[in-house]
Amino acid sequence: MTLQPNSSSLAPIALTMGDACGIGPEIIAKLFRGLAGVGCVVLGDVGVMRRAAAFTGGRLAVARIERASDAWDVPPNCVPVLQVDGLPSDLMMAPVGQADARAGAAAASCIARAVELARTGEIAAIVTAPIHKAALAAAGVGYPGHTEMLQALAAPGADPPPVRMMLVNDELRTVLVTIHMSLRRAIDAVTFDAVRETILIAHRSAAAWGMKAPRIAVAGLNPHAGEGGLFGDEELRIIAPAIASARAEGVDVHGPFAPDTVFMRARNAAGHPGEFDIVVAMTHDHGLIPVKYLGVAHGVNVTLGLPFVRTSPDHGTAFDIAGTGRADESSLIAALTMARRLVQH
């Protein structure tokens, strides 16, 4: 989808600034050096974005706008920033390349503002720049990451919608049953309901993107998917019954398969389509290592189950290179491209 300047009838896509001490502001600034950022509005701090523009080298204007729709009125090579209210007054004093409570608080405020705008239809989608979980915790933010915070904010005062994290690139799509918790807790969280719900969310989401009958593979939890109960019985007691239940509802889902080989079967490589469109994995690292190994630059994180589109780059704050201008914006561009594609559907 190509967005044209001055298409004011279209709601812009919001880019949340992310952690002010990380590379998020820099990769956003790079996005606007050309036409990639046309139709986007940055939710954040004007001062931080001007500093990021300076880090990335060369002239790049940063303009404060009053409404999200004003993003269409700024010229190319200009970053439109909707200043988020209530950011720490000394945010610019937070040291670049370090976890800081002020940056954590600011990042959370930007996310909250994005959800407000999405709920009122003033933006078409949210693309989030990386946040730092230690900075969030230092700021007293009670969520371990984007996914949990977006879930809670999506329906304030009501039961939060069930959501799942999906990581996708050109070769794999992986949806996770559990995400940001210790491995010991994650194993306990692999329940019949959790697995079944993950399969159904993956199925419904893919159908909304135009995949009418997505082929879903489910990875086991244990080595060799338990080897018939020799290496653990979660596959027999929990995962296989959940698969059967989803199949009874018309979902094209199969497994559980050995988690060390199912990703190869699902991979689209060298023009050869895989056997499956989506792999459901039980834990964070089971599912994300294969996708990230194929290349962080093109990976995109998509939150399934929200009442609005949300994507993000497949990397963190990269404090080690923050402030150097060396950060690669490729994954952010991939996240923005994915958001535009999902908005179309």
Side-chain angles (χ1 to χ4, degrees), residues 297-330:
H298 303 291
V300 177
N301 181 357
V302 182
T303 304
L304 307 183
L306 292 171
F308 46 81
V309 171
R310 179 264 173 164
T311 67
S312 75
D314 175 24
H315 59 71
T317 52
F319 282 160
D320 58 323
I321 60 170
T324 67
R326 302 199 328 259
D328 185 350
E329 72 275 23
S330 298

Side-chain angles (χ1 to χ4, degrees), residues 68-302:
S69 59
D70 293 341
W72 291 108
D73 298 327
V74 302
N77 298 305
C78 179
V79 184
V81 179
L82 189 62
Q83 180 74 32
V84 174
D85 294 334
L87 300 187
S89 58
D90 57 348
L91 178 60
M92 290 290 289
M93 300 298 292
V96 173
Q98 298 181 34
D100 190 282
R102 290 165 290 191
S109 295
C110 293
I111 297 164
R113 182 62 175 141
V115 174
E116 290 175 4
L117 295 175
R119 286 169 53 83
T120 59
E122 295 173 71
I123 58 173
I126 302 172
V127 179
T128 58
I131 57 177
H132 197 274
K133 293 175 176 57
L136 286 183
V141 177
Y143 304 101
H146 270 121
T147 304
E148 296 86 354
M149 186 175 183
L150 290 164
Q151 179 186 30
L153 294 174
D159 290 335
V163 301
R164 292 297 186 272
M165 178 177 175
M166 180 178 78
L167 209 65
V168 56
N169 59 24
D170 292 338
E171 299 181 60
L172 277 177
R173 298 179 187 89
T174 302
V175 181
L176 306 179
V177 175
T178 65
I179 47 173
H180 301 125
M181 59 180 66
S182 72
L183 186 55
R184 289 185 185 278
R185 286 183 56 214
I187 292 170
D188 291 336
V190 175
T191 64
F192 171 89
D193 289 340
V195 176
R196 178 180 177 276
E197 189 171 62
T198 304
I199 295 169
L200 295 179
I201 290 172
H203 172 80
R204 288 194 299 264
S205 298
W209 307 330
M211 247 182 232
K212 293 184 179 179
R215 303 164 300 161
I216 300 175
V218 178
L221 174 67
N222 297 298
H224 302 190
E227 196 72 70
L230 290 175
F231 308 141
D233 64 356
E234 286 84 0
E235 286 77 12
L236 297 175
R237 290 188 299 106
I238 298 169
I239 301 173
I243 292 170
S245 177
R247 284 183 66 83
E249 296 195 33
V251 179
D252 185 6
V253 58
H254 305 271
F257 298 112
D260 60 346
T261 57
V262 66
F263 297 98
M264 292 185 286
R265 296 174 60 182
R267 183 184 179 189
N268 296 305
H272 300 290
E275 293 179 49
F276 305 105
D277 301 304
I278 298 170
V279 178
V280 169
M282 297 300 116
T283 69
H284 183 281
D285 287 4
H286 261 170
L288 298 196
I289 289 173
V291 183
K292 292 191 175 187
Y293 179 76
L294 293 174
V296 171
H298 303 291
V300 177
N301 181 357
V302 182

